[in-house]
Amino acid sequence: MKHIRWFEEITAADMDVVGGKGANLGEMVAAGLPVPPGFCVTASGYREFLEESGLDHAIDDTLSQVRGDDPAQMVEGAARIRSLITAQTVPEALSREIMDGYARLGKLQGVVNPDRMPVAVRSSASTEDLPTASFAGQQDTYLNVRGDRDLLHRVRDCWASLWTDRAVLYRAKQGFDHRGVDIAAVVQAMVPSDVSGVLFTANPVTGDRSQAVINASWGLGEAIVSGHVTPDTFTVRNADGEILSRQIADKAHTIQYAEDGGTVELPAPAGL
């Protein structure tokens, strides 16, 4: 496929093609880690979308009218670009590639109705996960996306999120040229998790690389990364896996699948 790369086809050298998140997923698959399967809609797909819709010129025109040292103008320009992108549909040939990839992913997962399989659609910009600029959380992710129509809309929304206020202001602060940044979209099978967590491979408080720190809570991991709950925290010695300390938090809410797609925040059951 022209604009589709499966995780097993990706290495760290492909960051310009699939963005930082996509490149790291490819490396984790190659390392044998248990990564839920998926594929990337490459940055070339985003570029084709802009060219076929004529948005590349419209974005240039908008940026030419924005002063890079004026945050208010940048926010206004970013909102204009987002509205231009979300008003367009994904080109037919690219739509077919994405839908074919989605159908294949459903079959790989053995889903009875593969056209309704829940996936995460995750933004992956070419400037993510750099040593000098992480861009963590600057673009958007969508969970429990189901069906071709919703999938195409969310891929387009990921493209638009390259132009969120926070992303534009962060790029300006870090000295990145807006037009030099590309974005891919990760389409990845979701795990219906009872418990989710975030693993830091070095202690983020002390910098000690002999320790790992795990944050965990009930339900989907979005509750943790969005700050909706204070998670449990475990400090673990890497050499033998011994838990050195644990802090159990009051996790009052959990994020779960919504029946019609997306997610819903619910009170945690009393027993939890």
Side-chain angles (χ1 to χ4, degrees):
M1 293 184 179
K2 184 179 177 183
H3 300 299
I4 298 295
R5 288 275 193 95
W6 293 84
F7 294 165
E8 57 267 25
E9 301 172 328
I10 295 169
T11 71
D14 296 314
M15 184 174 288
D16 289 345
V17 178
V18 297
K21 191 179 284 98
N24 285 330
L25 284 165
E27 287 291 312
M28 288 191 287
V29 168
L33 295 172
V35 177
F39 60 89
C40 293
V41 183
T42 64
S44 64
Y46 169 66
R47 288 294 172 184
E48 183 173 291
F49 165 75
L50 295 184
E51 291 169 7
E52 290 201 11
S53 61
L55 290 183
D56 49 350
H57 300 299
I59 290 173
D60 284 340
D61 290 343
T62 299
L63 292 176
S64 69
Q65 300 170 32
V66 172
R67 284 180 48 187
D69 60 349
D70 188 329
Q73 280 194 15
M74 285 192 286
V75 167
E76 182 180 344
R80 192 154 60 245
I81 292 170
R82 288 198 306 276
S83 66
L84 289 171
I85 292 174
T86 55
Q88 299 293 323
T89 57
V90 180
E92 183 176 352
L94 179 56
S95 295
R96 176 51 54 194
E97 281 194 70
I98 296 170
M99 291 187 294
D100 287 349
Y102 180 50
R104 177 185 168 190
L105 183 58
K107 291 177 181 177
L108 288 173
Q109 290 292 92
V111 179
V112 176
N113 295 313
D115 60 333
R116 294 294 296 164
M117 184 187 65
V119 293
V121 182
R122 311 170 65 193
S123 303
S124 182
S126 58
T127 50
E128 284 183 351
D129 300 334
L130 300 177
T132 58
S134 73
F135 281 86
Q138 301 304 311
Q139 285 83 222
D140 292 339
T141 286
Y142 300 93
L143 304 179
N144 194 24
V145 177
R146 303 185 185 197
D148 290 340
R149 182 174 178 274
D150 197 17
L151 173 60
L152 294 174
H153 286 176
R154 290 312 189 187
V155 168
R156 183 201 58 196
D157 290 344
C158 280
W159 292 337
S161 75
L162 185 64
W163 302 96
T164 60
D165 298 348
R166 61 186 181 272
V168 168
L169 294 173
Y170 189 77
R171 285 199 297 271
K173 181 180 179 181
Q174 296 291 333
F176 285 91
D177 178 3
H178 297 297
R179 292 298 273 140
V181 178
D182 278 325
I183 190 166
V186 173
V187 179
Q188 186 172 20
M190 287 199 68
V191 175
S193 50
D194 296 318
V195 175
S196 299
V198 176
L199 168 67
F200 299 89
T201 55
N203 189 316
V205 176
T206 65
D208 188 342
R209 291 184 174 274
S210 71
Q211 298 177 352
V213 173
I214 301 167
N215 291 152
S217 188
W218 307 115
L220 299 176
E222 179 67 12
I224 301 172
V225 298
S226 65
H228 283 215
V229 298
T230 300
D232 296 342
T233 299
F234 302 86
T235 301
V236 180
R237 187 163 56 209
N238 289 333
D240 57 8
E242 181 178 348
I243 297 175
L244 302 176
S245 68
R246 68 183 78 209
Q247 296 173 306
I248 306 303
D250 180 11
K251 303 169 292 299
H253 294 88
T254 177
I255 294 181
Q256 305 286 347
Y257 286 170
E259 290 186 7
D260 56 351
T263 60
V264 60
E265 183 173 340
L266 299 171
L272 301 182

